[in-house]
Amino acid sequence: MNSHGDHTQVQGRAWSEHEYMLSFFISMQVGAVWGHCYENAYPLFFAIPELFDPHGLFIEGWIVFEDTDRVVLMEHGWLLSRQQYIVDPTIVLAVEISQPVYYYPGVSRARAELEALENEFFPHVRFSGYRDDGMQHAGYLAAYESALQKARSMLSEKKTFVEVKATLLPSQDEVVSQSSDFGVIVVQRNGGGPHGQERG
C-alpha cells in the first residue's frame, strides 16, 4: 500500500535465496552499513532505475528473524523492485542465506512520493501525524501486530525476544532535540548531509 492507499503487500513473506543474493550483491556494491536501513535503501531506489522503475516501492515496516538465542522484531526499511522482489541491502549484513527473514510492510511509497521526501526523517510514518511511533497509521499498526504475533510464535525456552525500534545515536544531540528522541535519519539521494543513525 502507499501511505494512504490500499494494503496490497503480503504480510509475513519470507524472502527467497534469489532475493538474498540480489540484496547481498547490491549491498556490497553500494557499501551498505548495518544499522542504516533507511539511509541504505533511499538512495538505492534512485541509483538503479532499471530495477525500481516504474513500479518499485520503498517500504517502512517490520521484520522478524532469529539467530542462535534470540528472536528479533525490528522496525526496518527496505525496497521492492518493479518485479516485486525484496531488495534489502542492510539485513544481509547480519543474517546468512539460510536464515529466514519475514517481512511485514506497513507503509509503501512510490517514486513520486519519495522524491518529495528527500531531506525528511524516516521512518516517515512517525512524522506524518500518526503519533510519535506511527501506530495511528492503520497499516503500520497492523504490520507491527502481525510481526509481533510471528515473533511470539517463534519463541522457545532457549530463545529470548528482542524488539528493535529505529532510534538516533546519542551523539546526534542536535537532531534528537528536534525530534523528541525518536527520530531516525534525514535521507538524501546522494547520501550526503546530516544523518542520524537508526538501529534497524
Side-chain angles (χ1 to χ4, degrees):
M1 70 176 189
N2 61 32
S3 57
H4 303 289
D6 294 331
H7 194 71
T8 59
Q9 307 297 324
V10 175
Q11 293 292 336
R13 175 182 159 201
W15 66 351
S16 67
E17 288 189 6
H18 170 77
E19 289 168 319
Y20 181 98
M21 293 305 298
L22 174 64
S23 297
F24 184 82
F25 175 76
I26 291 173
S27 181
M28 295 300 102
Q29 291 296 310
V30 301
V33 178
W34 173 248
H36 291 254
C37 61
Y38 306 101
E39 193 174 11
N40 291 332
Y42 186 91
L44 179 60
F45 187 93
F46 299 99
I48 313 178
E50 61 273 20
L51 188 60
F52 298 106
D53 286 342
H55 302 298
L57 296 170
F58 180 101
I59 311 292
E60 299 170 32
W62 305 84
I63 58 173
V64 176
F65 63 96
E66 60 182 321
D67 56 25
T68 306
D69 57 358
R70 303 179 305 163
V71 174
V72 180
L73 168 61
M74 181 180 292
E75 191 169 27
H76 194 60
W78 67 94
L79 302 172
L80 277 184
S81 75
R82 61 187 176 89
Q83 297 174 319
Q84 301 301 289
Y85 291 126
I86 292 169
V87 179
D88 187 346
T90 307
I91 196 63
V92 293
L93 301 172
V95 302
E96 301 293 333
I97 193 169
S98 60
Q99 286 178 262
V101 178
Y102 302 95
Y103 287 81
Y104 295 84
V107 179
S108 301
R109 303 185 191 279
R111 183 184 184 96
E113 186 176 8
L114 280 183
E115 288 175 343
L117 292 177
E118 187 169 11
N119 295 315
E120 296 291 337
F121 286 107
F122 278 80
H124 195 68
V125 67
R126 292 185 175 194
F127 302 91
S128 305
Y130 295 110
R131 215 170 66 189
D132 290 353
D133 58 4
M135 293 302 180
Q136 285 185 342
H137 186 288
Y140 207 65
L141 175 61
Y144 172 77
E145 290 176 340
S146 295
L148 180 60
Q149 182 177 7
K150 176 64 174 180
R152 287 176 173 164
S153 76
M154 295 166 66
L155 287 174
S156 68
E157 291 182 3
K158 297 180 180 179
K159 303 264 185 189
T160 58
F161 173 72
V162 177
E163 182 170 332
V164 181
K165 293 187 177 180
T167 183
L168 285 171
L169 289 176
S171 61
Q172 298 293 326
D173 295 334
E174 180 179 349
V175 180
V176 168
S177 68
Q178 296 173 4
S179 57
S180 305
D181 292 335
F182 62 78
V184 283
I185 64 166
V186 177
V187 292
Q188 294 186 330
R189 287 188 235 180
N190 63 7
H195 297 286
Q197 177 179 355
E198 90 286 357
R199 302 181 188 277

